[in-house]
Amino acid sequence: RGVWRSAGRGREVMGAPGFFTSAQRRLESWLGLGTGAADAQAEAEALARRLLAQRCPSALEGTWVQDSKACESLCPLLKGLGMPLPSVLCPLADRVKTTLRISCHQAPPSDTDSLQSVLARSGGPKDVFRVEDQTYFGKNVTEVQLGGSERLTQTRGKRKSFYLSGEMAEIENGKTACVIICRLHERGAGWYTLQQRYLEDDTPTARMVERNILLKGVTKDKKGNVLAAKDKEPVVVLRYFTRKAE
């Protein structure tokens, strides 16, 4: 079964027609083309729609404090990752309270992607998702360009590495979530951890849900959907956060 599907793939993403028009005109001007450059217009519009589909969720911006009483234990996830002495360390990990500071930014223009550079200068949507998590042990920052290429990243201790990426995706419960994807290449093929974040409901006081998922031995189908191995069910741990007034 599919574990996540990228939002906007296979269906039209609505919004901001003025942004499409502006991007197309700037692209034509930059390329020195007239209004008859249908191919250039189509390419600019397709990229604009992709960027809108991967727009950073502004509803998640702000400071979030862990609702420890509502959270599930991290032990299944930590055990799946091979944590030593789980009977001792897992309870300690569950007692650590986390504060998240989430913000959205626009990726800087890329010299290697001229179309994206044009669209960025045209006031395109913010597509960089930044999470700063603070615990008793210090601060860690994760930043991904939604819909961008995965990049090789080192752990905080510099002893291991993984491939990091992110995207907006429709997940199994029908919600659209911001997903941070870690491909654990050092553990072997098909190892991933996912962090899916979304609002629990549409009310002003809605909590943020964080679904932490461990996948082992997964594969991808032709559409890019990730499929869990039949004999290795995903490990899923839910955590909840309440918004802190700024």
Side-chain angles (χ1 to χ4, degrees):
R1 55 190 174 89
V3 175
W4 78 80
R5 299 189 301 277
S6 291
R9 293 179 185 168
R11 61 189 176 98
E12 186 175 5
V13 180
M14 304 299 294
F19 169 61
F20 297 149
T21 303
S22 173
Q24 291 167 10
R25 288 175 178 172
R26 287 173 182 256
L27 178 66
E28 290 174 350
S29 175
W30 182 71
L31 294 176
L33 300 174
T35 56
D39 291 343
Q41 288 186 10
E43 188 175 359
E45 182 172 345
L47 183 54
R49 290 184 183 277
R50 180 181 64 79
L51 290 175
L52 283 172
Q54 295 299 328
R55 174 167 36 195
C56 185
S58 59
L60 297 184
E61 288 189 284
T63 302
W64 298 87
V65 179
Q66 183 180 341
D67 184 355
S68 300
K69 293 182 179 179
C71 293
E72 297 178 349
S73 173
L74 289 170
C75 286
L77 188 70
L78 298 177
K79 287 180 180 178
L81 290 170
M83 182 184 207
L85 301 174
S87 61
V88 176
L89 298 181
C90 280
L92 293 177
D94 287 336
R95 292 194 187 103
V96 176
K97 193 168 186 176
T98 302
T99 298
L100 302 178
R101 293 177 178 85
I102 295 176
S103 57
C104 294
H105 308 277
Q106 189 178 73
S110 170
D111 293 335
T112 60
D113 188 345
S114 57
L115 283 178
Q116 185 169 332
S117 298
V118 171
L119 290 173
R121 289 195 296 271
S122 302
K126 296 178 180 179
D127 60 351
V128 174
F129 185 71
R130 185 180 190 273
V131 182
E132 175 186 309
D133 60 90
Q134 181 81 44
T135 68
Y136 302 122
F137 302 106
K139 180 175 68 175
N140 185 59
V141 175
T142 302
E143 188 172 287
V144 295
Q145 183 178 3
L146 301 175
S149 302
E150 63 178 7
R151 70 176 191 273
L152 186 63
T153 306
Q154 289 185 314
T155 59
R156 187 158 51 177
K158 309 294 185 183
R159 294 186 299 174
K160 295 183 178 181
S161 65
F162 57 93
Y163 283 93
L164 180 68
S165 60
E167 64 181 5
M168 294 300 297
E170 182 183 335
I171 60 177
E172 291 176 315
N173 59 11
K175 297 280 189 178
T176 297
C178 187
V179 187
I180 293 179
I181 307 162
C182 296
R183 181 165 64 87
L184 310 178
H185 67 106
E186 293 183 353
R187 293 179 178 268
W191 279 73
Y192 292 85
T193 61
L194 313 178
Q195 280 190 326
Q196 301 172 340
R197 294 187 176 97
Y198 56 91
L199 294 181
E200 190 173 27
D201 53 53
D202 296 328
T203 63
T205 58
R207 295 184 299 182
M208 180 177 67
V209 182
E210 180 187 276
R211 296 179 82 225
N212 295 276
I213 304 173
L214 173 63
L215 303 172
K216 302 179 184 179
V218 299
T219 57
K220 289 188 178 182
D221 63 17
K222 294 181 179 179
K223 296 182 179 180
N225 298 325
V226 175
L227 308 176
K230 294 181 180 179
D231 58 339
K232 297 178 181 178
E233 285 297 313
V235 176
V236 181
V237 173
L238 296 179
R239 299 205 299 173
Y240 297 88
F241 293 80
T242 56
R243 190 185 295 275
K244 181 180 178 181
E246 301 292 346

